[in-house]
Amino acid sequence: MNAPDFPPLHLPAIEPIADASLEARLRHKIAHKTKPLGALGRLEGLALQLGLIQRGESIALREPQMVVFAADHGIAAEGVSAYPQAVTVQMVGNMLAGGAAINVFARQHGFALRVVDAGVAADLAPHPQLLRRKIAQGTRNSRIEAAMTAAQMQAALRAGMDIVSKLPGNVIAFGEMGIANTSAAALLFARLAGVSIEDATGRGTGLDDAQLAHKRKVLADVMARHAGATRPLDALAALGGFEIAMMAGAMLQAASERRAVLVDGFIAGAAALVTRSLAPAAQDYMVFCHRSDEQGHRLLLAHLKAQPLLDLGLRLGEGTGALLAWPLLQSAAGFLNEMASFDTAGVSGREDA
């Protein structure tokens, strides 16, 4: 039986970044810098993308934002994680105290950091860096029933849009925290990309072989229970997490405002997949920052035809990989804006140019 239709959801309009005239001017500018053609490799493509996003021949990176969405998952009750669910609220506390890896990197790189309670299974005390947008105290167990109701899923999407609409800057990075969220990400990837649950599912927080086999069995049961949830919003409600849904809404809003979106690892990648499924042009604004050590992430990037900037064997989440890639965006902007051309430097170009 197919899942019921959801009430209409208004999604923000997103313009593709394609602009043939501007692209030609940017390529000409990049090609005539004082270097051999293509010598800055992937940095040249990144500069081109950022220029097209910002609709100009120079790049200005202003007030970068880091938003970490935190939520719990009912499927954690099935023993799919090496850590207890209590770690979610404990790690949120660590982030608000400034002690997590994402705090270190946000301070290092000058990102304003906010943590969003999208659905942590505990009541959190007020904090200046905490945005309380809790949908519920964790999703339901998707092995038994849909993780979210249609109303909850839509509320999460809208909350993500609203959060971004109130933030300054033109660059935004997204991270997450939530025990068992690699399970939700694997389920969404398998359903929306049509890959097997065995290929989509990895070790998460460090499962051994027996635990990984159990996780895959649980997720196969979930896929069978929700076999009718094939459309993006149906799949998001049946299989996803509050933080993934809220991040997808945030990505949609960011793209609609022509912000560069820094995509972290597997969980953020699953949100990016949902986002692209709802609005294909949104991927134009996404910078895929790294390839994580989670098995499904490598396949997800291949499915999206995305080339990540880094491959450091990370599997932490929180948005850490996105911030580690930040200096590459700064370098892309710097060479486009400041590097001399052959003409201005009085340097001879190629004889066959």
Side-chain angles (χ1 to χ4, degrees):
M1 179 182 294
N2 289 331
D5 289 334
F6 295 139
L9 175 69
H10 174 70
L11 300 179
I14 298 172
E15 298 177 335
I17 65 172
D19 180 331
S21 176
L22 175 58
E23 180 174 344
R25 296 195 303 274
L26 283 164
R27 288 189 182 278
H28 182 273
K29 183 175 182 179
I30 291 168
H32 286 77
K33 296 293 187 182
T34 46
K35 59 176 181 59
L37 284 172
L40 284 174
R42 297 276 309 286
L43 212 60
E44 297 187 15
L46 180 57
L48 176 64
Q49 180 188 10
L50 293 173
L52 289 170
I53 288 172
Q54 297 193 358
R55 292 187 285 201
E57 293 178 53
S58 61
I59 299 167
L61 303 175
R62 298 183 289 100
E63 297 183 85
Q65 306 291 311
M66 179 74 235
V67 183
V68 179
F69 296 93
D72 278 303
H73 296 257
I75 200 171
E78 301 290 340
V80 293
S81 174
Y83 287 81
Q85 190 175 73
V87 169
T88 301
V89 68
Q90 292 165 0
M91 277 302 301
V92 168
N94 188 29
M95 290 178 190
L96 295 175
I102 194 59
N103 299 99
V104 175
F105 298 153
R107 288 192 294 266
Q108 177 187 1
H109 296 300
F111 274 69
L113 172 65
R114 290 168 179 82
V115 180
V116 180
D117 177 6
V120 177
D123 294 323
L124 302 178
H127 187 280
Q129 287 180 287
L130 177 67
L131 301 179
R132 294 194 288 182
R133 304 302 296 264
K134 191 191 299 287
I135 306 299
Q137 293 209 358
T139 57
R140 300 177 300 190
N141 185 347
S142 57
R143 198 180 195 184
I144 299 170
E145 56 188 328
M148 294 175 261
T149 66
Q152 287 176 329
M153 177 270 297
Q154 291 193 11
L157 283 168
R158 290 190 180 100
M161 295 177 205
D162 182 65
I163 288 166
V164 169
S165 72
K166 293 178 168 61
L167 294 177
N170 62 5
V171 180
I172 189 161
F174 296 117
E176 40 61 40
M177 180 61 221
I179 292 300
N181 62 10
T182 59
S183 291
L187 289 164
L188 287 168
F189 175 38
R191 178 54 47 82
L192 295 178
V195 304
S196 71
I197 203 66
E198 289 77 15
D199 286 340
T201 308
R203 297 182 185 274
T205 49
L207 301 177
D208 62 25
D209 289 348
Q211 292 168 323
L212 177 59
H214 170 73
K215 179 180 179 180
R216 286 174 171 161
K217 173 61 169 66
V218 169
L219 299 193
D221 291 348
V222 174
M223 292 288 284
R225 174 169 288 280
H226 303 290
T230 56
R231 296 174 298 181
L233 293 181
D234 297 347
L236 182 59
L239 309 172
F242 293 135
E243 81 277 41
I244 295 174
M246 210 169 284
M247 197 185 313
M251 289 179 174
L252 288 166
Q253 185 67 32
S256 77
E257 297 178 8
R258 300 191 75 97
R259 304 189 196 214
V261 176
L262 307 191
V263 182
D264 187 44
F266 187 42
I267 317 305
L273 176 62
V274 171
T275 303
R276 192 189 75 161
S277 298
L278 297 172
Q283 188 170 341
D284 291 355
Y285 297 86
M286 297 176 185
V287 177
F288 291 86
C289 293
H290 77 111
R291 181 184 290 111
S292 84
D293 208 34
E294 182 71 7
Q295 171 179 308
H297 192 220
R298 295 170 179 267
L299 297 175
L300 175 55
L301 289 168
H303 175 76
L304 293 171
K305 296 181 171 60
Q307 286 190 303
L309 296 175
L310 302 172
D311 190 345
L312 300 174
L314 304 175
R315 54 182 181 87
L316 178 57
E318 302 180 12
T320 49
L323 295 200
L324 289 172
W326 171 244
L328 297 178
L329 277 80
Q330 293 178 306
S331 295
F335 98 78
L336 184 69
N337 295 346
E338 302 171 24
M339 188 175 174
S341 69
F342 286 107
D343 287 342
T344 60
V347 175
S348 299
R350 283 171 57 112
E351 293 185 354
D352 60 350

